[in-house]
Amino acid sequence: ACAPASEEDEVAMGREAAAQMDARLPILADPIVTRYVDSLGTAIARRTARAELAWRFAVVDADVVNAFALPGGFIYVYRGLLERAD
């Protein structure tokens, strides 16, 4: 059996995957929305068992109700999800 990845390895894998996602997806460049999502996401992440990760949040500029996470604390939230949330 393979040993589990170290946190450093997990973050490196996530960083590489995030660079690919950032190149492929339309990332929203609105500083107000980005700041809001980062603030909300950070507040939630601080309450998890992985609070020590340097969490990174991005908003995908697409009218889709979706979100996904990559290893190491890289979180993507779609604009459509934000628009439909209270």
Side-chain angles (χ1 to χ4, degrees), residues 9-52:
D9 290 341
E10 179 188 351
V11 171
M13 287 186 302
R15 188 177 302 116
E16 185 177 322
Q20 293 173 9
M21 291 297 106
D22 291 350
R24 287 186 193 154
L25 296 172
I27 303 299
L28 187 69
D30 183 320
I32 294 171
V33 174
T34 302
R35 206 167 24 251
Y36 168 75
V37 170
D38 188 58
S39 174
L40 178 61
T42 299
I44 293 168
R46 266 190 245 134
R47 291 168 174 77
T48 71
R50 305 293 305 275
E52 76 287 349

Side-chain angles (χ1 to χ4, degrees), residues 62-68 77-85:
D63 188 26
V64 177
V65 178
N66 199 8
F68 66 92
V77 179
Y78 283 71
R79 178 179 45 80
L81 179 63
L82 297 173
E83 290 173 347
R84 289 165 182 83

